[in-house]
């Protein structure tokens, strides 16, 4: 299978407990468990595949039933799956408690396996060949910092574009040494604050603050409020329309990344990329799944009609 995007990073089990009523800390709360395969890179890769891209996935996993579940989910999503399997290890997992309104209460990330996906593994013949064959590479901060830096060095040396998903305020710091060689980093406000050590007085200030930190291009989302995107020469903003009913916030940021990349890789400008990103995220917010299985280019086009125009910043 040929491919145009190589996705390297997290693909693991997502367990989410949805509370039926108001959250009562320190007490037993009625609710329901839901389990599926997720992970920043995995979610974005699935969305990109459903939107017409050919995507190869390289993701570490254990030699357990959870690892097999990841493999089967990747196949169902149409990904060219090239797993790195550690037979004696458990597949990573993410366990979250979700409030009735879809927002996160607390989560536990059991991700120790990712720490042994070292920079040395990028030198494996199959991985080197995959990087050479890629039109663009997408990674996430589930990878160790040294591995991210080595990947940025490899893609930069080959003239291949590299985009990345921040994952969390703690893990985004793993990108620090690689920032000048990343084409686009997807962040939320908390992750941008962690990376820069600063708070923006206005959303429009983020391009300047992140460029000063060494980043060439990126986007900053803030839930349903203004989202910002920038590259080396321009910046743009969009204020999303409210989502009528949020089923689950899980995966919305990864969907944003997929919609944005889809447009930029096709030559679209920042404003159009922001609109496509918001439309893709909106579809995911209305779904109880971290990736909407019924996402299609036609459905995205319909959703796009509900998304306001973006504007370039002066």
């Amino acid at each position: 299978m040929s491919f145009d995007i190589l996705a390297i990073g997290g693909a693991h089990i997502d367990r989410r407990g949805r509370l039926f009523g108001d959250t009562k800390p320190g007490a037993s709360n009625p609710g329901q468990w839901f389990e599926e395969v997720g992970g920043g890179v995995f979610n974005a890769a699935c969305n990109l595949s459903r939107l017409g891209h050919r995507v190869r996935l390289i993701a570490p996993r254990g030699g357990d039933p959870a690892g097999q579940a990841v493999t089967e989910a990747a196949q169902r999503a149409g990904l060219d799956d090239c797993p790195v399997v550690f037979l004696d290890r458990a597949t990573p997992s993410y366990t979250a408690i979700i409030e009735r309104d879809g927002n996160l209460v607390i989560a536990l990330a059991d991700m120790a396996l990712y720490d042994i996906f070292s920079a040395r593994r990028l030198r494996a013949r199959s991985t080197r060949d995959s990087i050479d064959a890629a039109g663009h590479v997408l990674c996430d901060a589930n990878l160790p910092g040294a591995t991210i830096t080595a990947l940025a060095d490899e893609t930069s040396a080959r003239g291949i574009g590299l985009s990345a998903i921040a994952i969390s305020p703690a893990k985004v710091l793993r990108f620090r040494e690689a920032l000048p060689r990343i084409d686009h980093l997807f962040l939320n406000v908390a992750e941008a604050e962690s990376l820069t050590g600063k708070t923006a007085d206005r959303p429009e200030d983020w391009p300047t603050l992140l460029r000063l930190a060494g980043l060439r291009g990126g986007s900053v989302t803030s839930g349903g409020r203004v989202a910002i995107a920038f590259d080396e020469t321009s910046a743009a903003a969009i204020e999303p329309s409210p989502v009528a009913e949020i089923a689950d916030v899980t995966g919305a940021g990864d969907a944003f990344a997929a919609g944005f990349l889809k447009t930029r890789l096709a030559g679209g400008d920042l404003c159009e990329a922001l609109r496509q990103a918001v439309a893709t995220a909106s579809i995911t917010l209305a779904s109880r799944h971290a990736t909407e299985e019924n996402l299609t280019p036609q459905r995205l086009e319909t959703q796009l009609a509900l998304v306001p125009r973006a504007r370039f910043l002066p």
Side-chain angles (χ1 to χ4, degrees):
M1 175 181 176
S2 61
F3 64 99
D4 48 21
I5 296 175
L6 174 63
I8 307 179
H12 49 255
I13 300 299
D14 266 350
R15 301 183 184 95
R16 301 197 293 282
R18 186 68 176 266
L19 303 181
F20 290 154
D22 294 336
T23 305
K24 296 180 176 60
S28 177
N29 288 257
Q32 185 177 39
W33 278 109
F34 175 73
E35 184 173 295
E36 65 180 342
V37 176
V41 145
F42 178 84
N43 292 339
C46 289
N47 286 316
L48 285 162
S49 177
R50 291 171 181 141
L51 292 174
H53 280 282
R54 298 162 299 176
V55 186
R56 174 169 289 177
L57 174 69
I58 296 178
R61 66 202 68 159
D64 53 5
Q68 183 59 33
V70 172
T71 298
E72 293 170 359
Q75 292 171 349
R76 287 196 301 272
L79 303 180
D80 179 19
D81 186 33
C82 298
V84 178
V85 180
F86 298 85
L87 293 175
D88 60 340
R89 301 282 182 145
T91 297
S93 65
Y94 172 84
T95 303
I97 302 297
I98 307 294
E99 289 185 305
R100 183 172 54 178
D101 63 4
N103 287 306
L104 179 67
V105 178
I106 193 169
L108 186 151
D110 182 1
M111 306 287 180
L113 178 66
Y114 293 136
D115 293 337
I116 61 176
F117 190 81
S118 65
R120 176 177 59 84
R121 296 193 176 272
L122 297 178
R123 297 196 293 270
R125 177 63 179 270
S126 60
T127 304
R128 292 202 320 270
D129 288 348
S130 292
I131 294 172
D132 285 337
H136 194 84
V137 175
L138 173 66
C139 73
D140 67 24
N142 284 309
L143 300 175
T147 306
I148 291 170
T149 300
L151 180 61
D153 291 342
E154 293 287 342
T155 54
S156 179
R158 290 167 168 78
I160 299 169
L162 175 64
S163 297
I165 299 172
I167 299 295
S168 73
K171 289 185 176 180
V172 71
L173 300 179
R174 297 177 179 182
F175 288 114
R176 274 183 169 166
E177 291 188 20
L179 288 179
R181 296 178 298 288
I182 293 175
D183 293 277
H184 199 95
L185 178 60
F186 296 96
L187 312 110
N188 60 30
V189 168
E191 292 156 354
E193 290 176 344
S194 176
L195 184 62
T196 62
K198 300 181 183 300
T199 300
D201 294 329
R202 306 172 305 144
E204 293 83 356
D205 294 335
W206 279 121
T208 298
L209 294 175
L210 288 163
R211 284 171 179 146
L212 288 172
L215 186 60
R216 293 187 296 168
S219 54
V220 182
T221 57
S222 54
R225 296 180 292 277
V226 175
I228 301 292
F230 69 97
D231 56 22
E232 291 178 289
T233 60
S234 59
I238 190 170
E239 186 166 356
S241 301
V243 176
E245 186 173 348
I246 297 176
D248 195 329
V249 299
T250 307
D254 308 323
F256 182 99
F260 189 95
L261 276 180
K262 164 190 172 293
T263 308
R264 288 295 270 175
L265 294 178
D269 63 26
L270 286 177
C271 284
E272 184 57 25
L274 274 174
R275 293 189 72 240
Q276 296 272 353
V278 167
T280 312
S282 298
I283 291 171
T284 302
L285 285 168
S287 170
R288 69 192 294 262
H289 295 281
T291 65
E292 174 50 56
E293 294 182 355
N294 295 319
L295 177 65
T296 63
Q298 294 74 25
R299 185 175 178 189
L300 179 59
E301 198 62 31
T302 300
Q303 184 68 32
L304 194 62
L306 305 176
V307 178
R309 290 182 177 276
R311 58 185 172 87
F312 282 105
L313 298 176

